[in-house]
Amino acid sequence: KWSIYGGAKSYLTMYHHAAKAAASAADTHHFSLGGPATTAPYKNWMRTFVDYAKRNSLRLDFLSWHKYTDNPQDYARDLRDVDSWLTADAYPSYYNVQRVISEWGIDSQSSDVYNGRRAAAHAAATVTEFAKGGLDLALAFEPVDGPQSMFGLIDREGRVKPRYSAFRLLNSVAGNHVLSVSGETEHVRILGTKNPQTGAIVLVISNYDRSDRHEEEVPITLGNLAPGTYEMHISTLGIPRRKTDSITIVGGEDEIG
């Protein structure tokens, strides 16, 4: 295993050589350099790594770690922890480097949960936490099932799983985060954006329950809407898209039941 305490597999020594080699590279395409891609954001690893980069004036574009958990709020908590460990006062040159979760999922073990709807709801709820927490990049593991694994969005026969469909819904999100969207509960998460080119407002609403039993009706209130007439289209995981009647906004707020 790699270590930050020296020895034959010193991560700091390896990174030092990588950063120096990257600095001397010429005629390259744009690339980013960072780490340490630990199995979780460990405080000692993060601070020792950044301290070493700071002390040796090494390039560091991003901090990365892995996270597997069935609780989407754990991701937001990790982001807050990393920010608290690496304050702007202590690390002025490194505080704003990108935060990257380079592997994530509902379970660190290859299990049947990745084949069902619970993993899809988990993905949507987790990406909502990423967006609200200010994460720069997250890499879901993995696109296609391996020979002995079920982590993929697509199985070995080429059939898409519900989690694939969740990412397709999430792919419709574009633009800046909508500032005023209310209606979240313990289980319901809402990711809302407004496309700056088309003006379309997109909400991705997930109902994620770790026990896979919870259902509820939730009124969702949108604020800061310009008066006018809006068409509402609804896409539900596994159900064809449908259009509802037009909605006329008189003031600047509307509630969706």
Side-chain angles (χ1 to χ4, degrees):
K1 294 182 179 180
W2 291 101
S3 171
I4 55 170
Y5 304 107
K9 296 194 70 173
S10 168
Y11 183 84
L12 300 180
T13 300
M14 183 274 292
Y15 189 84
H16 189 110
H17 289 302
K20 292 298 183 181
S24 65
D27 299 322
T28 67
H29 291 290
H30 173 77
F31 66 92
S32 296
L33 183 71
T38 46
T39 55
Y42 304 117
K43 182 178 181 179
N44 194 38
W45 261 87
M46 291 294 174
R47 295 195 67 169
T48 301
F49 177 47
V50 177
D51 282 339
Y52 185 84
K54 177 182 177 182
R55 188 165 60 250
N56 291 276
S57 301
L58 299 177
R59 176 178 174 179
L60 178 59
D61 300 314
F62 64 85
L63 290 169
S64 61
W65 62 91
H66 299 177
K67 188 70 173 184
Y68 288 90
T69 175
D70 65 353
N71 183 358
Q73 295 182 34
D74 287 345
Y75 297 95
R77 184 161 43 249
D78 284 349
L79 278 166
R80 291 193 297 270
D81 285 344
V82 172
D83 286 343
S84 70
W85 301 335
L86 306 172
T87 62
D89 290 339
Y91 301 95
S93 299
Y94 295 100
Y95 175 73
N96 288 320
V97 300
Q98 290 189 327
R99 272 55 163 165
V100 175
I101 299 181
S102 47
E103 274 190 33
W104 67 275
I106 191 173
D107 191 346
S108 62
Q109 303 299 313
S110 175
S111 69
D112 189 58
V113 68
Y114 280 102
N115 296 328
R117 293 171 64 89
R118 186 156 67 95
H122 173 272
T126 299
V127 170
T128 300
E129 296 292 342
F130 291 160
K132 293 182 177 181
L135 185 72
D136 295 289
L137 180 65
L139 305 174
F141 187 80
E142 60 189 329
V144 181
D145 284 349
Q148 304 295 328
S149 74
M150 292 184 286
F151 289 106
L153 307 179
I154 303 171
D155 69 17
R156 286 182 288 275
E157 283 70 45
R159 295 170 298 201
V160 300
K161 303 181 186 181
R163 196 162 64 117
Y164 174 94
S165 299
F167 277 105
R168 287 203 64 178
L169 284 176
L170 290 162
N171 200 46
S172 65
V173 173
N176 298 321
H177 193 72
V178 175
L179 297 178
S180 181
V181 182
S182 62
E184 290 190 331
T185 68
E186 179 183 357
H187 301 288
V188 174
R189 291 291 179 269
I190 307 167
L191 176 61
T193 63
K194 183 176 182 179
N195 189 306
Q197 279 76 43
T198 66
I201 294 170
V202 177
L203 301 180
V204 176
I205 305 165
S206 57
N207 175 27
Y208 172 67
D209 174 21
R210 285 187 280 177
S211 64
D212 205 20
R213 293 193 298 265
H214 182 78
E215 292 184 6
E216 64 179 308
E217 293 185 0
V218 179
I220 297 168
T221 302
L222 300 175
N224 301 327
L225 293 179
T229 300
Y230 294 78
E231 287 185 354
M232 187 164 69
H233 299 262
I234 298 176
S235 297
T236 305
L237 191 67
I239 300 174
R241 185 183 186 201
R242 62 185 175 88
K243 176 187 171 186
T244 68
D245 294 333
S246 297
I247 301 172
T248 301
I249 307 298
V250 178
E253 184 173 287
D254 191 49
E255 182 177 288
I256 303 172

